[in-house]
Amino acid sequence: MSYLSSLFSLFGGLGMFLYGMTIMSDGMQKAASSKMSKFLNIVTENRIMAVLLGAGITALVQSSSATTVMVVGFVNAGILNLSQSVGIIMGANIGTTITAWMVSLTQVSSSALSFFKPEFFAPLLVGFGAFRFLFGKKGNDDLLANFCIGVGLIFIGLEFMSSAVSPYADSPIFSRAFQVMGGNPVLGILAGAIVTGLIQSSAASVSILQTLALSGAVPRAAGFYITLGQNIGTCVTAMLSSAGASRTAKRAAVIHLLFNVCGAVIFGIIIFLMSFPFAHFFQGGLSPVEISLFHTIFNVSCTIILYPFGDALVNLSGKLVLESSKDKEEAENPNHYTEVEKNLIQHLDLRILESPAIAISATKTEVINMARITAENIRHASDILLNENVAEIPEVFARETIIDNMQKLLTEYLIHIGNLSLNEMQKLEVTNMFNTITDIERAADHANNIAEQAQYADEHNISFSEIGQDDLRKISDKVIESFNSSIDAFERNDLEAVVRTAHLEDQVDEMEEDMRETHILRLSSGECVPQAGVVFLDVISDLERISDHADNIADYVKAMI
């Protein structure tokens, strides 16, 4: 029973640790993701800024794997290039050392400092966070509560794992295993890589090692080799994430692997050579603080050593990740997607969902692109009707198909975003984008209707009077101005553009009403043939509906502001 109880405590502790990290990471991402979006915009060719960004993001989200997966997504979506990704990957390895230092606090042993021991105040943090959730304002995100509960569970989980392992610290199985790994760099590195790869978290595997080291059962050499392996194992997540991505995204994942393997090889050789003259030191027991120190020295040193070779890593990744036969086949025989749709699919990469704010920003960019294409279709359809350029009607129909496909792809991606943990502002933004793409698509349908009316007029030899043509030109210009104004409002969150769109919509309503009345009078007096009159009334109705949808888009922006 005691063995079973210890096993349960070990797994329960690991579960609490991982869940605590998830909760804390979730809260920190909400607080930091909007800033990450701004930071990415300033990381151009400055690799030092990229390193600092990678370290900062990883320190906040407490996961180098999550950061690297995001990088793979950013590269696949074209937000970052490979050169920029190298710096962020290097920085991610530095940022992940924060977790190890948090865990090393458990070694505080002085009675005067016992108050600061994590296991002492961890239950208080969980209780404080829970009470904030229970009695705080409903519907609001409480990032402090997330942080407190997450940190509390991390340290409670570590205490469970430590309690479960400590009775067996003197077991000959443990000592023999660590002795073997201490004398064999390959086995030590392999063990660290496998464990980290299985649990998909270098922070968790380093914490497990630190828990074992609390009892003094881990020799320094073995601990150092295992730590090197853990840095390689963390690459598994990014490598899996790159499956199915573009060749460039796969190269980003390979760069992460190359960076960590090169670092592990360099340090592995140094430790192996130093273990002979300093055998007594390397055979001594390893403490959690020493693991944190080594982890930090290793990652910072690797970044300093390999930083000048960033471009070489990019070039090497290109030689290792060759163009696949699938890529060549697609280049020779493109699928049914147009270039616009292919770019949309690439830009809305699922890996970007690791950062909701950046996913929302990327989606907004594509919604604006969809709106611009729709604006072009509205203008083109109106020109075809007025100038009788019926040969260009298929272009409008083809563009309408693209817009329909874009709506489908954007809606599916927004559903993915909606299932994420979002703050209240992000939820409102996602809802408004759902509504916006619906209005854009309906406006595009009306543009398609105008093109169909032009086709009908050509087939039945229908032409408009000079007054009718002049009216159509005036209202179509006003509608196009209104729709473009709504796009500007959406793109820039511009209140002036919102007001301008509403004003233009009122003008279009008045024009449509006046034109309808005067046109009926012309029909009554015989100045216009009935068939032309029906087409005219249908077209101004379509144009007025486009202006209504533009006003709806502006209203969503107004709600956001």
Side-chain angles (χ1 to χ4, degrees), residues 22-180:
T22 301
I23 294 175
M24 185 178 68
S25 172
D26 183 55
M28 296 303 288
Q29 279 201 51
K30 284 182 182 178
S33 57
S34 60
K35 293 181 177 61
M36 278 193 276
S37 174
K38 295 174 184 176
F39 289 151
L40 281 175
N41 292 331
I42 64 173
V43 178
T44 52
E45 299 303 320
N46 191 331
R47 193 170 289 158
I48 294 177
M49 286 297 298
V51 171
L52 294 175
L53 175 67
I57 292 175
T58 307
L60 287 169
V61 302
Q62 291 291 296
S63 173
S64 60
S65 298
T67 303
T68 311
V69 169
M70 279 192 276
V71 168
V72 171
F74 297 154
V75 171
N76 195 51
I79 298 173
L80 292 174
N81 60 40
L82 280 173
S83 181
Q84 293 162 351
S85 73
V86 172
I88 297 179
I89 289 168
M90 290 178 175
N93 280 18
I94 295 174
T96 195
T97 61
I98 298 296
T99 307
W101 282 109
M102 287 173 60
V103 175
S104 66
L105 289 174
T106 57
Q107 207 189 18
V108 173
S109 57
S110 170
S111 58
L113 297 175
S114 60
F115 176 79
F116 297 101
K117 293 186 70 173
E119 58 265 34
F120 179 82
F121 59 77
L124 178 65
L125 287 175
V126 175
F128 174 76
F131 272 96
R132 280 188 66 103
F133 269 128
L134 289 171
F135 302 110
K137 291 182 180 179
K138 302 300 179 185
N140 289 337
D141 292 296
D142 197 329
L143 304 182
L144 179 61
N146 271 339
F147 180 79
C148 289
I149 292 175
V151 171
L153 286 177
I154 285 172
F155 289 123
I156 291 173
L158 285 169
E159 179 65 17
F160 266 65
M161 286 193 287
S162 178
S163 300
V165 171
S166 57
Y168 309 102
D170 297 327
S171 170
I173 296 176
F174 275 109
S175 59
R176 181 59 186 156
F178 283 124
Q179 282 174 8
V180 170

Side-chain angles (χ1 to χ4, degrees), residues 154-233:
I154 285 172
F155 289 123
I156 291 173
L158 285 169
E159 179 65 17
F160 266 65
M161 286 193 287
S162 178
S163 300
V165 171
S166 57
Y168 309 102
D170 297 327
S171 170
I173 296 176
F174 275 109
S175 59
R176 181 59 186 156
F178 283 124
Q179 282 174 8
V180 170
M181 285 186 282
N184 192 319
V186 176
L187 284 179
I189 293 172
L190 197 60
I194 291 172
V195 171
T196 306
L198 287 174
I199 63 178
Q200 297 280 293
S201 173
S202 62
S205 62
V206 169
S207 300
I208 292 171
L209 180 63
Q210 287 178 298
T211 302
L212 293 171
L214 271 172
S215 60
V218 183
R220 285 193 181 90
F224 290 164
Y225 291 140
I226 292 170
T227 303
L228 297 178
Q230 288 165 339
N231 278 270
I232 296 174

Side-chain angles (χ1 to χ4, degrees), residues 503-520:
H503 182 61
L504 289 167
E505 201 275 331
D506 289 338
Q507 290 180 356
V508 170
D509 284 347
E510 291 175 8
M511 291 173 72
E512 195 263 350
E513 188 175 345
D514 291 343
M515 289 176 184
R516 186 176 293 276
E517 290 177 1
T518 55
H519 193 73
I520 290 172

Side-chain angles (χ1 to χ4, degrees), residues 197-374:
L198 287 174
I199 63 178
Q200 297 280 293
S201 173
S202 62
S205 62
V206 169
S207 300
I208 292 171
L209 180 63
Q210 287 178 298
T211 302
L212 293 171
L214 271 172
S215 60
V218 183
R220 285 193 181 90
F224 290 164
Y225 291 140
I226 292 170
T227 303
L228 297 178
Q230 288 165 339
N231 278 270
I232 296 174
T234 195
C235 300
V236 170
T237 309
M239 295 297 290
L240 292 174
S241 169
S242 68
S246 66
R247 176 173 177 257
T248 308
K250 287 187 177 74
R251 288 176 65 187
V254 168
I255 288 170
H256 185 215
L257 179 63
L258 287 172
F259 177 75
N260 285 354
V261 168
C262 288
V265 169
I266 292 169
F267 269 76
I269 292 172
I270 292 172
I271 294 167
F272 182 74
L273 294 176
M274 295 292 286
S275 64
F276 293 104
F278 302 101
H280 181 72
F281 172 79
F282 284 99
Q283 288 172 6
L286 185 66
S287 71
V289 173
E290 288 176 320
I291 292 174
S292 301
L293 188 61
F294 175 74
H295 196 222
T296 303
I297 292 172
F298 167 69
N299 284 302
V300 172
S301 300
C302 284
T303 300
I304 294 171
I305 293 168
L306 296 174
Y307 180 87
F309 302 100
D311 292 332
L313 290 174
V314 171
N315 294 333
L316 182 57
S317 71
K319 294 177 181 178
L320 293 175
V321 183
L322 302 175
E323 189 175 21
S324 67
S325 56
K326 181 182 176 182
D327 293 331
K328 293 177 181 176
E329 187 178 330
E330 284 188 359
E332 294 170 1
N333 304 299
N335 57 27
H336 63 283
Y337 286 120
T338 64
E339 198 63 36
V340 172
E341 291 161 335
K342 285 179 182 177
N343 289 336
L344 177 65
I345 293 168
Q346 182 178 354
H347 293 167
L348 300 184
D349 193 287
L350 292 177
R351 282 160 283 261
I352 301 178
L353 296 173
E354 291 281 348
S355 175
I358 296 175
I360 290 171
S361 178
T363 307
K364 183 175 180 178
T365 300
E366 296 306 322
V367 172
I368 293 166
N369 187 31
M370 176 185 175
R372 296 292 182 200
I373 294 171
T374 301

